[in-house]
Structures are given as structure tokens and as C-alpha cells.
Amino acid sequence: MAKCQCRWRRVLLCLCCAPCVLVGSLCVYISLVISYGITITGPAANIPQTLPKHFIAQGLTINGSLAPHPSSSFWDANYHRGALWNRLQVSIDRFYNPILMPKSRRDRYDHLHTSNDDNKKKQFSHPTAGFSEIGNLASIMDDFPELSLQMQMFVRSLHVRDYPVLIQPANLCGSGPRKGQGPFLLLAIKSQDLNFENRQVIRQTWGQAGRVAGETGEGRVVQRVFLLGKKDTELDVDVSELLQLESRHYGDILQWDFQDTFFNLTLKDVLLWDWLSAHCPQTQFIFKGDDDVLVRTAALLDYLQQQILQSGGPGSEGMKGFMVGDVIGAAIPNRVNSTKYFVPETFYKGLYPPYGGGGGVVYSGVLAMRLKRVSRRVHLYPIDDVYVGMCLHRLGVHPIHHPAFLTFDFPKKEMEKPCAYYTVLLVHKRSPAQVKKLWSEMRRNHSECQNTSLRKDTTGE
Ligand SMILES: *[C@@H]1O[C@H](CO)[C@@H](O)[C@H](O)[C@H]1NC(C)=O
Ligand SMILES: *[C@@H]1O[C@H](CO)[C@@H](O)[C@H](O)[C@H]1NC(C)=O
Ligand SMILES: *[C@@H]1O[C@H](CO)[C@@H](O)[C@H](O)[C@H]1NC(C)=O
Ligand SMILES: *[C@@H]1O[C@H](CO)[C@@H](O)[C@H](O)[C@H]1NC(C)=O
Ligand SMILES: *[C@@H]1O[C@H](CO)[C@@H](O)[C@H](O)[C@H]1NC(C)=O
């Protein structure tokens, strides 16, 4: 009996002492770390006088384009004061910050907002709803009246992103038992209602739907959809009947009920993600680009199949964050007020995150679904490719830069080389007539050019 008690006492003693021992070692460890830290960082003279122009953030694989030094501290609360978009975004970022806002509270919000009780909804207003409640725009942006008209229009409808579908393809992603299966590659092409010719040429050349053979690899199912808004019928001819006809004939028109302006292009991304999640969630890859580009679809199919193999399969981690294009690493907002990209400082301050040039990018369907979710936490931004970059940034995804995506055309001299077009996956800008001509030339040159390899980085040449 006594022996037994003794053993229990030892166990008890052990249990009591273990935390003390752990805390003790932790203290010793911390003091060691601190003293080492001081001795290591102490001789500040060792820091080179001129810092390198670029730095690579750890944890991300960045190829080619490196981020620059931040021009200001990330933690300066006053840094973005005065810029409307930044201020609105800060409130959303705080709302979704797991430390500042416990998950239980967010869940309660989400629950309330999926219920139909309007009174309950009012008790808990959401930061994204906040903008419409601010009301007097002039008071938040002193120079609102001086903004360009398109910026004023953008700011007014910044909080709206649920526009109804006017025309949509019926069977893009299979029907019946094959419903929702989706193609290997979906070509989602930004177009405008009057660009009939662009669409027609794309259908006949690089945008053919169905089973498409690779240059060397296997054939894959490709589908095509044109993304359209609506033109102002007061100013333009009304072509809605023609579009209906076009849609019935080709089944590749996806049109929403919003004004098709430059600053509204971001809506095409956001609404495409919504549409895909409802109709084509199994799509493996999405090409999203302009209707004035030339794409080497067959070579792109080969490249994508290679990427799947290298990343370890369609469901791999690599594919969850896969986006490739002409990545612009460290752009700053355009402050020239006469250009169409002009964004005033009163609207946005800071650098742009890395983003794939809007002429054309390719990303995985899995990433599209993640972008759809995270985009609910990012205020719309008037430049569409930058907006996608902002969403990627919040997912911790870095797009892959590939020099074969030429969204700014060939460098001088390179175009004259024989087989130049065989070195690219995409080239921007080409008129419908040029696309047609290049396409037939490329078929003619195929046998002599087929072994040309894709462009590599030529920076420094
Ligand atoms: C990108 O960088 C990673 C890590 O540095 C490297 O393994 C990979 O080969 C690079 N990819 C390209 C396309 O250069
Ligand atoms: C975008 O479309 C909406 C809906 O048609 C419109 O109210 C808004 O003014 C448009 N925004 C821009 C910047 O054109
Ligand atoms: C554009 O900027 C210039 C100087 O930067 C200024 O003089 C001009 O008034 C501005 N124009 C508009 C329309 O704001
Ligand atoms: C096809 O080959 C001809 C003759 O070499 C060349 O002039 C032309 O630019 C090539 N076109 C394309 C699209 O490769
Ligand atoms: C291209 O490569 C294939 C196989 O590697 C070879 O048989 C063919 O002769 C090459 N063609 C040219 C024009 O170099």
C-alpha cells in the first residue's frame, strides 16, 4: 500500500514539475536567442551600403520577375489615408482578419446573411455593404467632381457585382449525365457586341471548339465562350437581336446586363467565376484573354499537359495555385490623366501586386473557384488584370511568368526571324485580318517550323 502511494506521489511530482522545467528551458532558450540576436545583428557596419534593387520574398517561388523594395512601410496606418479604395479595403481586411475578428462572429454574420430575415440582416451590417451606406460621395472624395466621368461611374457602382445573365451557352459543359464535366481548356474571350468579325475569325482559327490535337501531345476537349456586357443602346446601334441569332447558331455567347466599358471589365472576371462554379466547375484550365490576340492553342495544350505532369496531377498543390502569363512584377498605378488606365491617387495608393497581363492568361479551374471565393473579400478595382492580381495576392499565389506570352508584342527584330510565331503561345495585338493571314501562314510553315522551341527570357539582350 505504502509503495503504491509512493509511486503515485512520484507521478504527481512529475506532472507538477514538467511545466516548470519546460517554462524554464523556454526562458533559457529565449534569452539565448535574444543575446545571439543582438550579437549577430549588432555590427550594423556589415550591412552593404547599397541595397540590391530587388528582393525575393521567402516562401514564394518567383521566376523572372522579382518584386521591388516596398516604397513605404507595410504597417504605416496613415500611409493609405485619403485613398478611397484602400480605405474601403482596410475595413474588409479587418473583418476577415482571424485575430481581430473571431471566426464565430464571421460565421454568425454569414448565417444571418443566408437567412431571409431582413431585420436580422440589418443588425449586423457587412463592410462590403458599407460603401453604399456612406451616401455622400463628395464628402469622402474631395475631388470627386473633378474625376473623369468613367471614374465617377465606377465609384458609383463599385459595390454592385451581381448582374443578371442575358444570354448564355446551353451545353458548353455537357448535359444529362455528363452535366458539369467541363472541357480540358475553356477559352473565355473578352469581346464586345460589335466585334462580330473578331469572334468569327477566332472561331475559324485558334478558337475552334471540340477535340483539338496538340502539336505533339494528345488531343483534348476545348470549348469557347465570349464574354460580353451591353453597349449603351442610346448611343450605339442595338444589336441584341443579332447577338441572339449568333448565340443560337454558335452557342458561345455569355452576356451580362451591365455596361460594357473599360472600367467594367473586372465584372467579366468576377461574373465568369460565378458562372463557372454554377455550370462548369470541372473545367481543368481557363484561358482568359482579349479578342485581338493570336493563341497557339495546340502548343498551349501541350504546355498545359506538361504542367499537370510536372506538378503531380490535376489535383496537386501546384495546380491549386496555377496561373501563367506575362507577369508584370511591380507595376505602379498610371497617374497620367489623359490615358485610359489613369487611376488618381485619391482613389488608390501603393504598388500593384504581381499580375498576369490582361491580353491573355491561363489558370486552373481549381484556382478559379478559389478566386471566386476570395473575390468576395476584395473591392472591385477598375483595371481587370490588376484586380485578379489583388485576389491572387490574398490567396498567396504567385502567377508564373512565361516569356511565350507576348502581351506587348515581339521585341524589335525578333518578328523578322523565320518561325518567330512558333516561339510564342500568345501574341497581342492582331486584327482579325492579321490573325487569319498568320494562321494560314503558320499552317503552311508547319513542317519547317514545328521543332522551334518556345521563347525564353531575353532580358538583357
Ligand atoms: C522556378 O524557380 C524554382 C525554384 O527556384 C525552380 O525549381 C524552377 O525550375 C523555376 N522554373 C522556371 C520555369 O524557371
Ligand atoms: C458598369 O455597369 C453598370 C451597370 O450597367 C453601370 O451602372 C456603371 O455605370 C458601369 N460602370 C462604368 C465605369 O462604366
Ligand atoms: C491633368 O493633369 C494636368 C497636370 O498634371 C492638369 O493641368 C490638368 O488639368 C489635368 N486634367 C484633368 C482633366 O484633370
Ligand atoms: C512562314 O514562312 C515564310 C517564309 O519563310 C515567312 O516569310 C513567314 O513570315 C512565315 N510565317 C509565319 C507566320 O511563320
Ligand atoms: C523535327 O523533329 C522530328 C523528330 O524529332 C524530326 O523527325 C524532324 O526531322 C524535325 N524536323 C525539322 C524540320 O527539323
Side-chain angles (χ1 to χ4, degrees):
M1 193 71 176
K3 210 174 171 187
C4 192
Q5 263 181 3
C6 195
R7 191 185 301 155
W8 279 116
R9 213 173 291 155
R10 213 178 298 151
V11 170
L12 217 63
L13 203 69
C14 256
L15 280 178
C16 292
C17 286
C20 302
V21 172
L22 282 178
V23 170
S25 358
L26 195 67
C27 287
V28 172
Y29 175 72
I30 288 174
S31 37
L32 276 177
V33 165
I34 289 174
S35 57
Y36 265 97
I38 288 167
T39 50
I40 289 166
T41 56
N46 284 350
I47 293 172
Q49 285 301 301
T50 48
L51 289 164
K53 227 167 90 195
H54 296 96
F55 79 99
I56 303 174
Q58 288 185 1
L60 284 175
T61 312
I62 302 178
N63 295 76
S65 55
L66 307 178
H69 277 288
S71 57
S72 278
S73 155
F74 288 128
W75 297 279
D76 182 351
N78 290 321
Y79 177 48
H80 300 302
R81 188 167 285 172
L84 176 67
W85 190 93
N86 303 65
R87 266 169 42 200
L88 292 170
Q89 189 57 36
V90 162
S91 70
I92 299 188
D93 286 343
R94 286 206 180 123
F95 184 82
Y96 286 105
N97 183 312
I99 297 169
L100 297 177
M101 183 74 84
K103 189 170 179 305
S104 57
R105 204 161 152 219
R106 283 201 307 272
D107 285 349
R108 195 153 51 95
Y109 160 76
D110 287 336
H111 177 70
L112 286 180
H113 270 245
T114 44
S115 81
N116 292 323
D117 189 340
D118 278 335
N119 279 332
K120 271 188 183 172
K121 280 185 192 174
K122 274 187 197 134
Q123 287 166 15
F124 201 108
S125 82
H126 186 257
T128 52
F131 187 69
S132 47
E133 287 151 19
I134 293 172
N136 186 1
L137 289 169
S139 72
I140 45 169
M141 253 170 107
D142 287 340
D143 57 353
F144 187 78
E146 279 130 53
L147 289 180
S148 65
L149 194 62
Q150 67 164 356
M151 197 43 138
Q152 287 189 12
M153 278 163 79
F154 179 80
V155 171
R156 282 211 177 90
S157 56
L158 173 62
H159 57 289
V160 189
R161 55 168 83 184
D162 296 309
Y163 292 99
V165 169
L166 293 176
I167 303 178
Q168 60 181 328
N171 278 327
L172 205 66
C173 297
S175 54
R178 287 176 52 84
K179 189 170 178 341
Q181 277 210 332
F184 178 78
L185 176 64
L186 177 69
L187 304 169
I189 304 149
K190 288 178 274 178
S191 189
Q192 294 194 347
D193 54 10
L194 291 178
N195 292 2
F196 291 105
E197 200 191 348
N198 298 52
R199 292 195 288 278
Q200 200 52 26
V201 166
I202 290 171
R203 288 182 187 115
Q204 291 162 357
T205 57
W206 59 267
Q208 289 167 35
R211 207 169 176 84
V212 174
E215 294 269 337
T216 54
E218 257 181 87
R220 292 289 178 162
V221 176
V222 175
Q223 289 290 5
R224 170 192 67 232
V225 64
F226 292 102
L227 313 174
L228 275 75
K230 231 176 40 175
K231 269 274 157 355
D232 204 336
T233 44
E234 308 240 317
L235 300 171
D236 285 298
V237 273
D238 186 3
V239 290
S240 52
E241 302 255 315
L242 279 176
L243 274 180
Q244 291 283 359
L245 205 69
E246 192 182 347
S247 170
R248 271 200 296 274
H249 198 76
Y250 297 106
D252 59 3
I253 303 287
L254 178 50
Q255 188 191 30
W256 293 278
D257 191 7
F258 65 80
Q259 262 189 55
D260 209 340
T261 57
F262 179 63
F263 273 11
N264 261 350
L265 281 181
T266 310
L267 290 170
K268 293 189 182 176
D269 289 275
V270 175
L271 292 169
L272 173 67
W273 297 331
D274 285 346
W275 191 84
L276 282 176
S277 88
H279 297 94
C280 289
Q282 308 290 331
T283 304
Q284 285 220 34
F285 291 102
I286 294 125
F287 163 87
K288 210 218 90 188
D290 290 339
D291 65 358
D292 57 352
V293 300
L294 171 66
V295 179
R296 284 181 61 225
T297 315
L300 183 60
L301 289 177
D302 292 346
Y303 169 78
L304 292 174
Q305 290 180 74
Q306 240 173 43
Q307 294 303 303
I308 292 188
L309 280 180
Q310 279 171 16
S311 72
S316 65
E317 275 305 309
M319 281 298 131
K320 281 184 191 154
F322 178 82
M323 181 179 286
V324 64
D326 184 0
V327 174
I328 298 147
I332 52 170
N334 185 319
R335 303 294 192 202
V336 183
N337 64 12
S338 55
T339 64
K340 76 170 182 175
Y341 297 96
F342 171 62
V343 171
E345 244 181 83
T346 44
F347 183 76
Y348 181 81
K349 272 189 191 160
L351 292 171
Y352 284 156
Y355 65 93
V361 293
V362 180
Y363 50 94
S364 68
V366 193
L367 181 58
M369 295 305 106
R370 294 177 69 203
L371 283 167
K372 169 191 144 70
R373 284 193 294 276
V374 82
S375 71
R376 291 276 149 190
R377 303 179 178 188
V378 187
H379 267 298
L380 293 179
Y381 194 80
I383 317 283
D384 61 343
D385 41 10
V386 171
Y387 179 76
V388 176
M390 288 169 162
C391 293
L392 287 179
H393 184 74
R394 277 167 176 76
L395 290 173
V397 170
H398 196 288
I400 303 165
H401 176 71
H402 199 311
F405 283 76
L406 278 185
T407 57
F408 295 104
D409 216 320
F410 285 99
K412 268 185 194 154
K413 288 188 189 158
E414 217 184 291
M415 206 176 351
E416 274 92 65
K417 287 186 190 164
C419 302
Y421 281 91
Y422 276 79
T423 65
V424 302
L425 290 171
L426 171 142
V427 60
H428 191 216
K429 301 193 151 198
R430 295 292 180 269
S431 68
Q434 284 171 323
V435 169
K436 226 169 155 173
K437 183 162 167 276
L438 286 169
W439 192 255
S440 61
E441 270 184 32
M442 282 168 68
R443 291 178 83 171
R444 225 178 302 139
N445 294 359
H446 188 77
S447 57
E448 61 193 88
C449 293
Q450 63 177 329
N451 295 348
T452 315
S453 53
L454 291 179
R455 287 184 84 240
K456 304 239 160 36
D457 234 327
T458 51
T459 41
E461 256 183 32

